Every structure is written in structure tokens, then in C-alpha cells.
Amino acid sequence: MLVTTRELIDNAVEKHIGVGAFNVTTLSMLQGIILAAEDVNQGIIIEFATSHETRGIVTLDEIGPVMMQYAERAKVPVAVHLDHGVDLDYLKKAIDIGFTSIMYDGSALPYEENIANTLKAVEMGRKYNVMVEGELGKMAGNTLRNDMIMEERLVKRENYTNPDQAGDFVARTGLDMLACSFGNAHGIYKEPPVLDIELLHEIAEKTSIPLVMHGSSGINEEDYAKVIRNGVRKINYYTYASLAASNAVKGAFASDPVKFWKVHELAVLMREAVREKVRSAITLFSEPQI
Ligand SMILES: [Zn+2]
């Protein structure tokens, strides 16, 4: 059933758990994610990242209504989120489709400009009663800048979120959730990530709002418990689900190239690989951490 993101996040705060937020790029992924949540009977967020439209994969117009339909029909609570929005009109489009939360990512902008735009996104969120996520600090990996250019960022300490600035950012914008940078990165980690949990703890103390971890694939299992214990409530997870799907396809070709010329057979394989990966992620995230 479709629920608001606020409902899921409030529940996560109360139960000391994290909510998995899974990016949708294809129908097989969407099916696998919903089935996984139903398998373990947990609420989830499904989300669409702006960069998947700018990279020519699928548009919000096309996949947004399909995501809404799957959320409504799911046997578990599902909220629908717009990930890494860099344009206010685009955020409005997601709200019009029925999305229950939006992210405005002004992390590539100078601080004051990030505040001014995030404030506008928060005003929009209040008006339409949707939760708003913002970002401060520069998360490593490929990021869509506000001028629609993809930029590769490296893991650098100077890019980590500054706790005092985060406190100021949240106070001045009235933001609902904050994505922060503390050693996490988008995409495949070249080396095992070293998360600065102390910094995360400080950010949580200075902001007092639910925090969001992006780049959550490839994190140590013990680290999930630590970040949840230190204020992370929304956990964005995509890369390893995507990797599981492509590995399933590679394996199929290697084992039976004759059978797997049919694209629908591959779609089923991808769906099931995503389902398995997402199921174990949700299980880890929904373990209470007190
Ligand atoms: Zn992200």
C-alpha cells in the first residue's frame, strides 16, 4: 500500500531501525524490490534519481506513474521518493505524479545558494505535504551538478559534512532529512569504505533530524548497525542490487547462451537477483539498534 515517507521515517525513528530506499531504473528492478519487501514484510521507499533521466535511461514521466502503481498494489507499506533533484520544476513534477517525498541536492552549489534553493524546496514540500531531503557536504562518486553536468568526486575529508554547518543548514531551511558525507560514496567502492561514525554522531546531535546515507552498497554489515544507531534512518541502496542483476545475466550467458537469447528470460533473472539482494539489505536495516 502507498504510504507517506513521513510515516515510514517516523516508524523508523520510533523503532530504531533504518528504512531501505531503493532506486528504480527498470521494471525488473521495481518488481524485484517490491517482492523483496513483501518477502520480509517490511515497509520500503522506492526512488527515482534525476540522473537516470539525464543519462537517457528512462524519464520520470514514464516510470513515475508505474512506481506509484506498484506502491499502491504492494502488500507492504511503500513510499515513493525523488532522489537527487537539482531543479525545482522537476521536484514539482514528481509531486504531481504523487511522490511522497523529494530530495533537493544543492551540494554542488556555494553554501548560501544551497540554503536559498533548499528553502524553496522545503516551502514546496510544506505546501504539498511531502517530506524534503537536502544534502550538505560533497558525497563522493558520480553526481549530477545543478548545471546538469555529471561530475566525479573523490572521497576527501574536506568534502565531508561539517556538523556546525549542518546545524545551521537545518535551522535555516527547516529541512526534514539530511543526506551527509562521512566517508560514504556512490557506486562501487574501490577500497572498503572507512566511515567516520564519530562525525556522523556529531551531525546527528547538531541537526536533530533523520539522516540519510547514500552509497550504502558495499558497506560492512556492522557499519549498518553503527550508522542506524547514530541517526541514519533512510538508507539509499542501488549499486549492489544492480550488480547482482548484471552478474545474473553474465552467468546465464556463460551457462546457456542458447536459452538466454530471450530478453524476457533475462528480465526474470534480473528480477530474482535484485529480489535476493534487496531482501538481505532490508533484513539488515530493519534490525533495531539501540
Ligand atoms: Zn545518492
Side-chain angles (χ1 to χ4, degrees):
M1 76 218 66
L2 177 70
V3 296
T4 62
T5 305
R6 194 173 297 279
E7 205 174 318
L8 289 178
I9 297 294
D10 284 352
N11 177 60
V13 170
E14 195 185 313
K15 293 196 174 136
H16 305 275
I17 60 171
V19 183
F22 302 96
N23 260 289
V24 170
T25 45
T26 69
L27 191 59
S28 316
M29 291 213 78
L30 177 55
Q31 291 172 321
I33 293 163
I34 297 285
L35 285 167
E38 290 178 341
D39 287 343
V40 292
N41 197 27
Q42 290 289 340
I44 53 157
I45 298 167
I46 51 175
E47 54 184 30
F48 179 72
T50 312
S51 62
H52 290 130
E53 172 155 350
T54 52
R55 285 166 158 180
I57 298 162
V58 64
T59 66
L60 175 62
D61 281 340
E62 292 169 85
I63 204 154
V66 181
M67 290 166 71
M68 293 301 299
Q69 215 179 94
Y70 271 76
E72 280 156 13
R73 289 181 188 171
K75 297 189 187 88
V76 291
V78 179
V80 188
H81 176 81
L82 194 273
D83 190 29
H84 290 288
V86 292
D87 176 296
L88 292 165
D89 291 337
Y90 197 78
L91 296 183
K92 176 65 170 53
K93 201 194 254 191
I95 292 173
D96 288 343
I97 293 171
F99 280 33
T100 56
S101 51
I102 49 174
M103 175 192 191
Y104 176 74
D105 176 1
S107 64
L109 297 171
Y111 183 58
E112 291 297 331
E113 220 172 306
N114 188 5
I115 288 199
N117 288 1
T118 302
L119 197 53
K120 285 185 196 149
V122 171
E123 279 163 7
M124 193 189 283
R126 294 284 176 276
K127 186 170 172 194
Y128 297 101
N129 200 24
V130 300
M131 229 178 164
V132 180
E133 175 182 342
E135 180 171 330
L136 186 67
K138 290 185 165 66
M139 229 154 339
N142 283 315
T143 295
L144 185 68
R145 292 194 327 216
N146 300 66
D147 54 7
M148 299 296 169
I149 291 170
M150 286 301 290
E151 179 190 80
E152 207 200 326
R153 296 169 177 171
L154 302 170
V155 179
K156 282 195 224 154
R157 275 210 81 87
E158 63 254 42
N159 285 343
Y160 288 9
T161 307
N162 175 305
D164 288 320
Q165 200 176 44
D168 181 64
F169 188 71
V170 169
R172 288 171 64 189
T173 56
L175 201 60
D176 300 310
M177 297 184 276
L178 180 70
C180 38
S181 168
F182 54 99
N184 46 332
H186 290 120
I188 297 171
Y189 287 98
K190 292 181 185 95
E191 289 163 24
V194 181
L195 301 180
D196 190 337
I197 302 292
E198 223 165 280
L199 181 74
L200 178 69
H201 182 78
E202 228 182 297
I203 297 166
E205 287 207 318
K206 300 266 171 160
T207 58
S208 304
I209 59 168
L211 301 179
V212 184
M213 178 163 77
H214 289 233
S216 306
S217 292
I219 302 271
N220 271 326
E221 284 193 12
E222 311 84 74
D223 279 349
Y224 289 125
K226 286 183 196 159
V227 301
I228 293 169
R229 210 172 293 136
N230 287 283
V232 168
R233 296 291 163 226
K234 178 170 174 278
I235 304 179
N236 284 23
Y237 187 102
Y238 174 71
T239 303
Y240 274 37
S242 172
L243 205 56
S246 55
N247 282 338
V249 170
K250 271 188 243 164
F253 274 123
S255 70
D256 194 345
V258 178
K259 180 180 172 193
F260 289 107
W261 67 267
K262 297 179 188 118
V263 74
H264 55 260
E265 300 272 10
L266 297 175
V268 170
L269 281 180
M270 289 194 281
R271 181 191 76 202
E272 291 306 314
V274 168
R275 180 182 188 171
E276 201 184 321
K277 204 77 198 162
V278 170
R279 191 166 47 208
S280 43
I282 300 172
T283 305
L284 282 171
F285 305 161
S286 44
E287 191 67 46
Q289 304 295 339
I290 301 168

